[in-house]
Amino acid sequence: MSRKVAILGGLGNGAVVAAAIEHARRMGATDLEVAGFLNDRTPVGEKIDMFPVIGKVEDAKRLLDEGYWFINTILRIDGNRERIAMFEALNIPDDRLATFVHPMAYVAPSVQLGAGCIIMPQVAMSPGSKLGKGCIMMVGATMGHDNIVGDFCHIAAQACVGSYLRIGKGVHIGFNATIRENLTIGDNATLGQGAVLLKNMGENEIWVGNPAKFLRYAE
Ligand SMILES: CC(C)(COP(=O)(O)OP(=O)(O)OC[C@H]1O[C@@H](n2cnc3c(N)ncnc32)[C@H](O)[C@@H]1OP(=O)(O)O)[C@@H](O)C(=O)NCCC(=O)NCCS
């Protein structure tokens, strides 16, 4: 029997993740079935790509009682604290967060994924890395070995994350960014698209460029 999943989000990441789950379902590779989106900006009933909006974000509480599973895709790239707080306030238990690994991803057997992690097609994850809950590795992102990654991190498409990294909570790694091994990245930090990170990043810091330099603090 399939598990009905409600995706928090919609346009952008939500629809992209929903399509990957549907793709896997048609391959017979997941028991998840997208029911639709929880979204405060699009009217209930309206479709976003293939799936309808089935409620507001706060409707997660009701759907929890109705047996749904959940995936969170709502994020803000330059500072994600508020969005994470909004999600945490829903108090969805970890055992109802759907973890999804697309069948076209490579995830080494010793990788540990927290509840609600999304691993998209063409991702490659080497051994020994541990992701907190609700992390998303977008299409084609690569992660080296032995990393510790906090909750709700977003690794954008084609980013290349090195090894032995300590990455905090709510971090965004921009698409096509590259991160050298053995670095530390503080909570809520953002690395811009295409950046090449050679130094540690502090909490709330936004860095860009090659070599990456501090740009500003997240709002
Ligand atoms: C880092 C980022 C958040 C900064 O956004 P911002 O604060 O709006 O920055 P601005 O566009 O105002 O640019 C400020 C300066 O930084 C530079 N800059 C911004 N992003 C840059 C990047 N990724 N690489 C190099 N320089 C960059 C701009 O050229 C500008 O420089 P200038 O003042 O000399 O003209 C954004 O550029 C970015 O990289 N976002 C991530 C995109 C991404 O990964 N998307 C994934 C979608 S799922």
Side-chain angles (χ1 to χ4, degrees):
M1 212 176 90
S2 60
R3 289 180 291 157
K4 280 185 295 182
V5 63
I7 296 182
L8 284 80
L11 271 182
N13 265 5
V16 168
V17 168
I21 293 173
E22 176 61 12
H23 183 242
R25 194 187 68 78
R26 291 181 187 192
M27 294 169 82
T30 182
D31 65 343
L32 294 174
E33 186 173 353
V34 177
F37 301 105
L38 299 182
N39 189 304
D40 290 346
R41 294 183 179 168
T42 308
V44 173
E46 199 165 292
K47 269 192 167 177
I48 300 174
D49 191 30
M50 299 175 66
F51 299 101
V53 173
I54 55 172
K56 302 273 180 213
V57 167
E58 64 177 23
D59 288 319
K61 293 172 185 159
R62 174 176 55 80
L63 296 183
L64 194 55
D65 294 336
E66 293 177 18
Y68 283 70
W69 289 67
F70 299 90
I71 285 172
N72 181 31
T73 67
I74 299 175
L75 75 121
R76 180 174 157 167
I77 285 174
D78 59 338
N80 207 11
R81 245 185 241 290
E82 267 175 43
R83 304 289 168 96
I84 292 173
M86 180 202 74
F87 179 74
E88 288 179 332
L90 295 170
N91 287 319
I92 300 172
D94 286 1
D95 63 7
R96 293 288 283 286
L97 297 178
T99 302
F100 170 70
V101 178
H102 191 278
M104 287 160 60
Y106 162 65
V107 179
S110 59
V111 167
Q112 294 178 51
L113 300 176
C117 281
I118 305 298
I119 309 298
M120 293 288 277
Q122 311 299 351
V123 163
M125 299 182 75
S126 293
S129 289
K130 186 175 178 189
L131 269 58
K133 72 173 165 185
C135 291
I136 304 182
M137 296 268 301
M138 288 304 274
V139 176
T142 304
M143 180 171 284
H145 57 87
D146 298 295
N147 295 297
I148 297 181
V149 180
D151 295 342
F152 304 113
C153 287
H154 184 254
I155 320 284
Q158 304 290 349
C160 184
V161 175
S163 301
Y164 301 118
L165 299 164
R166 297 294 173 266
I167 299 180
K169 177 177 178 179
V171 169
H172 173 82
I173 309 298
F175 38 45
N176 205 32
T178 302
I179 305 179
R180 179 186 191 157
E181 67 278 8
N182 284 311
L183 298 180
T184 299
I185 299 180
D187 291 350
N188 205 37
T190 297
L191 183 62
Q193 61 188 64
V196 177
L197 186 68
L198 305 174
K199 296 181 177 169
N200 295 334
M201 281 171 73
E203 205 170 314
N204 291 321
E205 292 179 359
I206 299 178
W207 287 47
V208 296
N210 176 11
K213 305 250 189 260
F214 175 80
L215 174 68
R216 62 177 172 87
Y217 285 102
E219 284 156 24

